[in-house]
Amino acid sequence: MEITNVMEYEAIAKEKLPKIIYEFYASGAEDQWTLQENRTAFSRILFRPRVLIDVSKVDMTTTILGFNISMPIMIAPMGMQKMADPQGENATARAASAAGTIMGLSTMATSSIEEVTSTGPGIRFFQLYVFKDRNIVVQLVKRAEKAGYKAIALTVDAPRIGRREVDIKNRFTLPSHLRLKNFEGLDLAKLDKSQTDNSGLASYFAGQIDLSLNWKDVKWLQTITQLPILLKGIITAEDAKLAVQAGAAGIIVSNHGARQLDYVPATIMALEEVVKAVQGRVPVFLDGGVRRGTDVFKALALGASGVFIGRPVIFSLAADGEAGVRKVLQMLRDELELTMALSGCCSLNEITRDRITTLWDAPRISPRL
């Protein structure tokens, strides 16, 4: 069967993966309302295409933190990718590099910082969780710097792990043959079967992640690295302003794939509030729910500098390894190019707010001719 859109990979992944692993990747927190909303919210934004514009050349290239990439579609950091495919994060890194875009590597990866670098050239960001033992944080950041990573994406929405009831039911833990490779040689490399009525991941977080993480720590992080720091997990104007004041180089509007606090808005619904709050002082990115090139266009029209995709990468990796991830990136690229052409946009800076309409927009009064 020919794959014609990225969503079709999920059914293949569901068939191929063990139930516990598929459900770990696919599920959200509690009632999973936000999980559905991350997708459905896009359908409440409609296009206002302009016609009779020469779209024989459509340019999707952009610059993120000074790095040139082929399109405003990047790969979000996701943990434990070797549960999906034996090559895991290494395959994802090669696919991102081949597509000329950025990959985020998770702290909780099953390939190490250095292993991913060894796959070849590429622009990579390192996603950071802050551990109670700050020496581990310093080590991780220094290793990322040394290995040529270009930014740190600090996750700020996970002092504790959300209540993912599917993982609790399944007593989810990392398969015994896999390790969290960034912690090899430390006692942190394994997720043990939970001794509590929880998932192994939730127990791990409770034991290791620093609940006291606050704005002062963003400043502290700047003292241990020269790399730009993105804050991942901001969805309000108030926090966006504080992020700029704290010296963040960018903001990733994210609700952690709807895996943390349920009943937060879809990220596409929170995006414009954050964009308006930062007033162009730092770039804002969208993470969550992107499955179509039309979704990417809508995010850019609302002021995002780019989007990060997560589950489509994991499901395509499970279905067809590196080739699957390459195809997802190519399909989203092709869809964005077509959406731009049909909307009358030849470059990304032409994707302006007036190219879309939302339910919350004031009614448009046509000018008198």
Side-chain angles (χ1 to χ4, degrees), residues 28-30 161-165 168 197-198 259-260:
E30 295 189 351
I161 203 164
R163 187 172 171 82
R164 304 169 194 172
E165 292 176 2
I168 295 167
D197 295 329
N198 215 323
R259 293 158 80 78
Q260 285 299 99

Side-chain angles (χ1 to χ4, degrees), residues 16-321:
K16 280 185 81 166
L17 291 172
K19 178 175 175 285
I20 288 177
I21 291 172
Y22 167 75
E23 289 182 346
F24 168 75
Y25 289 139
S27 65
E30 295 189 351
D31 300 331
Q32 304 189 113
W33 182 86
T34 298
L35 185 68
Q36 298 303 316
E37 181 68 1
N38 268 355
R39 279 296 306 129
T40 55
F42 279 102
S43 66
R44 296 196 287 276
I45 301 167
L46 303 179
F47 294 121
R48 300 183 67 249
R50 301 298 304 276
V51 298
L52 294 174
I53 291 166
D54 178 358
V55 290
S56 52
K57 287 193 180 72
V58 173
D59 179 15
M60 288 180 288
T61 59
T62 189
T63 305
I64 304 293
L65 301 181
F67 298 98
N68 297 324
I69 58 173
S70 67
M71 58 180 174
I73 302 164
M74 300 164 283
I75 294 180
M78 294 163 289
M80 310 181 217
Q81 294 184 25
K82 283 187 181 174
M83 294 193 306
D85 176 82
Q87 287 285 304
E89 292 85 358
N90 296 347
T92 302
R94 286 191 293 265
S97 182
T101 194
I102 291 165
M103 173 199 177
L105 181 73
S106 171
T107 291
M108 311 291 277
T110 40
S111 299
S112 71
I113 291 166
E114 295 80 10
E115 284 169 340
V116 168
T117 296
S118 74
T119 64
I123 305 161
R124 299 177 186 116
F125 295 170
F126 181 67
Q127 175 273 332
L128 180 69
Y129 285 116
V130 173
F131 287 72
K132 290 173 184 172
D133 182 346
R134 293 301 170 93
N135 288 327
I136 292 169
V137 179
V138 174
Q139 281 176 41
L140 287 170
V141 169
K142 294 297 178 200
R143 283 169 59 195
E145 275 186 341
K146 190 178 173 197
Y149 287 66
K150 304 304 184 191
I152 300 294
L154 175 66
T155 295
V156 296
D157 62 359
R160 292 174 58 182
I161 203 164
R163 187 172 171 82
R164 304 169 194 172
E165 292 176 2
V166 172
D167 291 345
I168 295 167
K169 279 191 174 70
N170 289 335
R171 303 291 287 272
F172 168 79
T173 192
L174 188 64
S176 59
H177 68 287
L178 296 175
R179 295 286 181 276
L180 300 176
K181 278 298 193 63
N182 289 323
F183 306 113
E184 203 120 72
L186 300 168
D187 289 339
L188 304 172
K190 286 177 76 174
L191 283 193
D192 292 324
K193 278 279 183 201
S194 174
Q195 302 307 308
T196 63
D197 295 329
N198 215 323
S199 74
L201 186 63
S203 301
Y204 183 94
F205 259 69
Q208 305 296 344
I209 303 297
D210 191 347
L211 275 81
S212 75
L213 185 69
N214 63 71
W215 292 104
K216 290 191 197 110
D217 297 305
V218 178
K219 290 284 193 193
W220 169 75
L221 205 51
Q222 290 166 48
T223 68
I224 67 165
T225 183
Q226 296 299 303
L227 293 177
I229 296 164
L230 306 173
L231 299 189
K232 179 177 180 284
I234 285 176
I235 56 172
T236 64
E238 296 90 333
D239 282 341
K241 287 172 185 167
L242 290 172
V244 174
Q245 286 168 23
I251 290 169
I252 302 173
V253 175
S254 171
N255 52 36
H256 213 109
R259 293 158 80 78
Q260 285 299 99
L261 181 62
D262 202 12
Y263 297 100
V264 294
T267 47
I268 193 70
M269 290 291 143
L271 175 62
E272 196 164 30
E273 175 182 326
V274 171
V275 167
K276 284 177 175 171
V278 305
Q279 298 178 318
R281 288 172 290 181
V282 298
V284 176
F285 307 99
L286 177 105
D287 167 60
V290 173
R291 300 291 183 274
R292 285 278 190 192
T294 50
D295 300 336
V296 181
F297 187 103
K298 290 170 185 180
L300 298 176
L302 286 168
S305 294
V307 305
F308 285 90
I309 55 166
R311 287 184 180 92
V313 170
I314 279 291
F315 293 142
S316 59
L317 182 67
D320 197 20

